[in-house]
Amino acid sequence: MRKRIAVIGGGIAGLAAAVRLRDLLGPDADLVVYEQGDALGGKLRTGELGGLTVERGAESFLNSGPDGAESAAVALARRIGLGDDLVHPAARPAALAIGGRLAPIPGGTLVGVPGDLSTLDGVALAEAGADRDEGRPLLAPGQDIAVGELVRARYGAEVVDRLVDPMLGGVYAGRADRLSLRVTMPQLARTAETEHTLRDAVRAAQAQSRRVPGRPVFAAVNGGMARLVERAAAAGGARIGLGTAVRAVTRTPKGWELTLGPAAAPETEHVDAVILAVPARPAARLLSAVAPGAAEAVGRLEYASVALAGLALPPGTSLPDLSGFLVPPGAGSLVKAATFFTHKWPHLDGGDGPVIVRASLGRAGEEERLHLDDDALLEVARKELGELIGTGLPTPTASWVQRWGGGLPQYAPGHADRTVAARAELPDGLALAGAAFDGVGIPVCIASGERAAEDVCKYLEEQ
């Protein structure tokens, strides 16, 4: 019998789920992807700036997985015919904006957590003797705490404030004292269950990462992440329902009923299985009738809002020889990170074209600071960038602002356990995927979508 599966959410997790479903179920499966917005891709969005292709969302993905093999993003890119179109950043360092200077990020850190305090080179001072062996592992099996709690106890406040906070802020727009160690640094959480000092736990986590010598850390798609989205949508071969809101999911004796469209004129569709690949709040709303326990666990997740400011500066504009920099929260600036885009990505640097800078603005709890119109936000970004770099920036020849309201999940300690509990509450034939559940980053979201597809296929095989 022909199987019909609905994927609710057209971000990269949902699209990866559709590709995996197609691979497992073959050409006869009837797949449909419903996306409430007007475009697929979620936080993957490619734009144009000064005649160049510049991402308005995630700009790259990890090249390798934790086991040293290719990441799920690279594997998907190869699966959909983009393997030869992967590009890598230049070997330029990144910096921290510390005390009016740009200091190189110390080497050998794990998301800012050092395994060798001698490498800090004045960027931060660790508390002497705090990281002592007390005869037991740092964490009990399965224990989860905030990243900041662990690092402060072992290295002191300055390492958190000057190193870990800006690194986590660049990825999550959150603070180390509120973010789960087990979600944001899963390898360190695992080694902390066996090692007695943070230094040894960091070194063990780094040793287990199995990074392949010579393999670049990051990759992107030449021509933009929009190509990854387009090719994934084509490979999945699903019917695409853009601008289609799914208002309810109901269990039936034969599968699932979806209520679609405007409340005044609803439509229904019947499917055999459902994958929810949407943010936490819409997921909780859709789960409320069929899995109230799961809805309650999922609905606790909070999000941070951020904005990206893209600036095309005149050709020849001088910038430090860096890929970009991160800003500790204590600096007080609205800018929390900047990428010197044409420095970082050699395939975009034509020599005589514009100099592209992309700034990330806003942190968790600071949403009101983003309540400026685009022109004012761009001027703040240009002014603060100049102050942080140490030289004023010229007026851009072109610019844009991309706002991501509620765009970045804030994983409080215990998030992983809450996700496990939520999934245990799900009825058969319903799966969850995406950043709301398994973490941010393109490879993580792709792997999450693929696992959800495998889960529903296993269910369908048993029917």
Side-chain angles (χ1 to χ4, degrees), residues 163-431:
L163 271 170
V164 183
D165 249 344
M167 295 291 281
L168 288 174
V171 178
Y172 300 95
R175 300 297 298 267
D177 290 322
R178 297 180 181 178
L179 290 171
S180 158
L181 178 72
R182 197 160 294 279
V183 177
T184 62
M185 301 187 201
Q187 288 173 292
L188 182 59
R190 287 192 293 271
T191 58
E193 295 178 359
T194 58
E195 301 298 334
H196 293 196
T197 67
L198 183 55
R199 178 199 63 184
D200 289 341
V202 171
R203 290 178 176 179
Q206 291 170 329
Q208 292 176 10
S209 68
R210 302 180 187 175
R211 183 184 170 194
V212 178
R215 179 185 289 175
V217 176
F218 296 103
V221 178
N222 193 5
M225 293 296 180
R227 297 186 64 210
L228 186 73
V229 172
E230 292 164 1
R231 290 285 187 93
R239 293 181 288 123
I240 304 295
L242 285 180
T244 303
V246 178
R247 301 192 175 278
V249 175
T250 308
R251 195 77 166 99
T252 70
K254 294 184 178 181
W256 297 88
E257 180 180 276
L258 309 183
T259 303
L260 315 170
E267 301 177 6
T268 59
E269 175 137 6
H270 291 85
V271 296
D272 298 297
V274 177
I275 294 174
L276 292 184
V278 293
R281 289 181 183 174
R285 176 176 55 79
L286 292 172
L287 290 169
S288 60
V290 295
E296 194 278 332
V298 167
R300 294 186 191 181
L301 183 62
E302 297 182 354
Y303 285 76
S305 296
V306 296
L308 298 175
L311 308 176
L313 304 176
T317 299
S318 178
L319 293 174
D321 189 21
L322 299 165
S323 62
F325 61 88
L326 301 168
V327 186
S333 64
L334 187 55
V335 171
K336 67 180 179 67
T339 300
F340 302 156
F341 224 79
T342 39
H343 279 197
K344 183 174 180 178
W345 297 102
H347 67 288
L348 295 177
D349 189 359
D352 56 355
V355 174
I356 304 295
V357 176
R358 197 181 79 157
S360 178
L361 304 95
R363 302 177 189 270
E366 298 182 358
E367 285 74 13
E368 72 284 349
R369 297 186 67 188
L370 297 175
H371 294 169
L372 301 170
D373 64 31
D374 286 1
D375 288 343
L377 203 62
L378 285 164
E379 183 55 28
V380 168
R382 186 181 73 87
K383 178 175 179 292
E384 290 189 354
L385 285 168
E387 292 170 350
L388 292 163
I389 292 170
T391 181
L393 294 181
T395 300
T397 58
S399 59
W400 49 245
V401 169
Q402 176 68 55
R403 299 176 188 266
W404 294 111
L408 289 173
Q410 302 297 293
Y411 305 109
H415 174 83
D417 288 341
R418 287 189 289 274
T419 299
V420 169
R423 284 184 164 131
E425 293 276 339
L426 297 176
D428 290 339
L430 178 63

Side-chain angles (χ1 to χ4, degrees), residues 61-72 74-75 78 86-89 209-219:
F61 46 77
L62 287 170
N63 212 20
S64 300
D67 60 356
E70 290 180 338
S71 72
V74 173
R78 295 194 188 284
L86 297 181
V87 293
H88 308 287
S209 68
R210 302 180 187 175
R211 183 184 170 194
V212 178
R215 179 185 289 175
V217 176
F218 296 103

